[in-house]
Amino acid sequence: MKLTRGGSWSLILVVLLACAGGYAVRLRAENHALLTRLPVQAEVDFSAMVIVTRPVAPATSGAPRIKAWERCALGAARCLQRPRSVEARCQAGVVEINEADWSALQRIPAEDLAGVEHPSSYQSMKLCDQ
């Protein structure tokens, strides 16, 4: 089989693009694996830190269970929806935790985002007015 000069350059370009694409996919997978091993830390949207004292099944469909003694950063409480929930960023990603499981969340104020004042309801983990 005889390739023309343009055909051989095209073949080389296709092979290089395939290699670069494969490398990008592999790098993305390695970065994701690394991020899931890193500890969760407080940030602007998730500023209150908690530790989960027992396994919790998140309200988010398809999300894996939150393990006992896993740290999560709390975001906004959803008090107007039923059942009530709070948004949390845990090792498995961003999930919602139903009010029935809030008693499993133990606050870690020393790990909160510096400079953010949380209401007293965050200390008692009764995040919504009754």
Side-chain angles (χ1 to χ4, degrees):
M1 180 172 157
K2 189 175 181 182
L3 289 176
T4 64
R5 185 182 305 256
S8 58
W9 282 111
S10 297
L11 181 62
I12 290 171
L13 181 61
V14 167
V15 169
L16 287 175
L17 288 174
C19 289
Y23 176 75
V25 168
R26 184 172 161 239
L27 186 61
R28 186 177 192 283
E30 287 176 5
N31 283 341
H32 179 69
L34 178 63
L35 287 175
T36 58
R37 288 192 302 258
L38 292 176
V40 173
Q41 294 180 335
E43 58 183 56
V44 174
D45 292 330
F46 299 93
S47 58
M49 291 298 296
V50 297
I51 191 161
V52 181
T53 59
R54 63 174 166 76
V56 169
T60 307
S61 64
R65 290 179 69 81
I66 303 168
K67 299 176 190 130
W69 311 117
E70 184 175 330
R71 283 178 160 69
C72 295
L74 297 184
R78 301 187 194 308
C79 298
L80 299 179
Q81 74 181 27
R82 296 290 183 249
R84 294 173 176 173
S85 66
V86 65
E87 192 177 32
R89 189 170 58 77
C90 304
Q91 287 294 131
V94 176
V95 297
E96 286 194 32
I97 300 172
N98 281 335
E99 183 177 22
D101 291 315
W102 290 354
S103 62
L105 308 178
Q106 180 69 43
R107 290 278 291 117
I108 314 170
E111 294 184 18
D112 286 353
L113 186 65
V116 175
E117 292 290 326
H118 295 100
S120 60
S121 60
Y122 272 69
Q123 298 307 321
S124 65
M125 289 312 302
K126 294 180 182 167
L127 303 175
C128 299
D129 293 332
Q130 304 301 328

